[in-house]
Amino acid sequence: MKVSQLFGRTSKTEGIDYKIPSHRLLTQAGYIRESTAGRYYLLPLGLSVHHKIEAVVRKHMNAAGAQEVVMPVLHPLELWKETNRTTTTGFELMKITDRRGAEFALGGTAEEMAVDLVRKFNISYKDLPFNIYQFSMKFRDEMRARGGLLRVREFVMKDAYSFSTESQFKEIYQKMWDAYKAIFEELGLKVDVVAADNGYIGGEYCHEFVVESDQGESRYFIDESSGYAAHEDVATFKVDEKNLGEEMREMEEVDAVRGNTMEDGAKLHNMPLWQQTKDVLYFDEATKRYILAIIRGDFDVNETKLMQAAGAWDLRAATTEEICEDLHSEPGFISPINIVKKGTKSGYEVVIVGDKSLRTVRNMYGGANKKHRDILNINIDRDYKPDIEADIALAQPGFSGPDGGPLVERRGIEVGNIFQLGYHYSNLMADADYTDDSGQRQKYYMGCYGIGIGRTMAAIVEAHHDDKGIMWPDNVSPYSVYLATIGEAENVRQAADGLYQALTEAGVLVLYDDRTEVRAGEKFADADLLGIPYRVVVSEKTLANQQFEIKGRGDADARLLGQQDIIEMVTSKQNNSAIMDFRS
RNA sequence: CGGGGUGUGGCGCAGUUGGUAGCGCGCCUGGUUUGGGACCAGGAGGUCGAAGGUUCGAGUCCUUUCACCCCGACCA
């Protein structure tokens, strides 16, 4: 491809105030252009990178036995109603109606479609296991798109769906895990595999593949000694025992003229924070229940864990009015002791969820559900009994991980994930089953596996750039060589044309900067910005002894080589995966 | 959805107490240049986000609305 013919151009001013490096560099180099917030044009260069990433993903998915399909982008809304996800997706479904009034969802993920496809084939155990996947545009009505390609409203996702028996599942999950490791390694990305929360998608466990980056939105913890890695939503830690040797003392209600914070309580009673009870009242809009979370005073409530433990999917903080008038308690003095079982006005039930850390302390102190009254010597079991006992504590940096080592906090970009769905969808959807070897219908067991292609592209740029521009790894760069002429001399042009042809015939993708009106400095700046692995320069100077100048994008110095050596040097680094120039 | 901000040629911006739009980059033409973003001369390109209002007159004042950016909430 000749630069003079390439659609799109570099710009010094376009996107100058974008804060995220990948956003700015991809824009300035002419890989992407914004349409509206969270929606991007992929220009020829950007599409080329996109295709190369897809090719790597496809290669490893196929090698792992998955089979590529394409599903419609418009999903019949009845399918989403079948799984009750029209209201509970976690992202606002985008809907569209055709002129006959048929309703569709713009696909944001495709579990229902995959099940619907599979049930059309009335499968048996002989068909299992299998894994189908696609690359397709996904639509998310994000509240707030940001960070260029990092969080968008439309993007190409590779999404895969596996169908198997429960006993076959572990192997499939492991295969996807291994395939993902191989994919990201080939793309030049170091990933942490992080245990995460399944959220609205269902299932019991899942893992995120995260590229460590300051620009990432995922926060997670690593125990570097053991390799334990978990998203902050699910991270667990060892809870130290405090004063379990102490005798239980008589419960006692006392005056407590203090403010509403934990610190106020610790100060007033001159006792440690950990001996105080932290009582946080929530209301779940989905099930119309109050959820009273109780935890040791030196910990915080992890709301994701709380949602899982209580089955409360639409949690919000309770209002002062609800606390005072419906539950007859007092902000800052809420307590499980003598709390009403039901709101006296609303009739809504109060569910008490206790963290397991409550079993590491004796004789706790806390509110009395009355203003300026506290209770001393509170002990679990004797004085109150949680309806649900679970780990609902939020991990913090420095806490001991489940394997004993200290937890280190990291931030990263989630580029892929693998989910165990189990029977979640086969339970919700009709005929999501197969015939077993005794002729009985059985629910199948599912998993799903996603990779965001555009986000991966941005993550690669985040991991591979300097202050001059992008530095693509060899196998995702749109071209292997940036060939630039300097000057308008006829012999320079002829030599460059010859090298362009020779490299192309050798199978090397070359971006040939044939512009005559552009000076050397600008060509060098463009070459750096674009991030092509090799820059080859042809000028009267290099031709003085029949040579060309070649420089790696990350190298400080260039060297002079003859044409044959150039070709050898470049082809030896060429990646052999089935990759082609989609523009020529 | 809450808080803050911005909308003026393709991009980045200026525009005074209201008087009918300008600069830099880019683009086009000609010339001089040519190893890290050159220079000279000429040129094209804007109903100032949209709608309504005040006024003799609105980029500027008022009202409404839309879009985008940043922070938060949310979020495979």
Side-chain angles (χ1 to χ4, degrees), chain A residues 317-334:
Chain A
T319 65
T320 304
E321 196 183 354
E322 287 167 335
I323 294 168
C324 297
E325 290 171 29
D326 202 21
L327 301 185
H328 305 281
S329 185
E330 182 68 32
F333 294 85
I334 301 171

Side-chain angles (χ1 to χ4, degrees), chain A residues 223 226 228-230 234-238 399-407:
Chain A
D223 174 347
S226 73
Y228 171 81
V234 299
T236 59
F237 58 92
K238 283 192 166 157
F399 284 11
S400 287
D403 304 321
L407 293 178

Side-chain angles (χ1 to χ4, degrees), chain A residues 460-473:
Chain A
I460 293 170
V461 176
E462 292 300 336
H464 300 279
H465 73 272
D466 62 14
D467 56 352
K468 289 180 175 163
I470 300 167
M471 303 168 83
W472 291 116

Side-chain angles (χ1 to χ4, degrees), chain A residues 67 72 82 123 144 147 230 287 353 427 502 510 523:
Chain A
Q67 299 176 67
E82 229 181 297
I123 59 170
R144 188 179 157 209
T287 56
V353 182
N427 280 335
V510 182
K523 290 191 178 188

Side-chain angles (χ1 to χ4, degrees), chain A residues 249 251 336-338 377-385:
Chain A
R249 290 192 292 270
M251 205 161 61
I337 316 265
N338 298 326
N377 304 324
I378 304 169
N379 286 285
I380 191 165
D381 294 336
R382 186 191 69 176
D383 304 323
Y384 69 98
K385 185 117 189 71

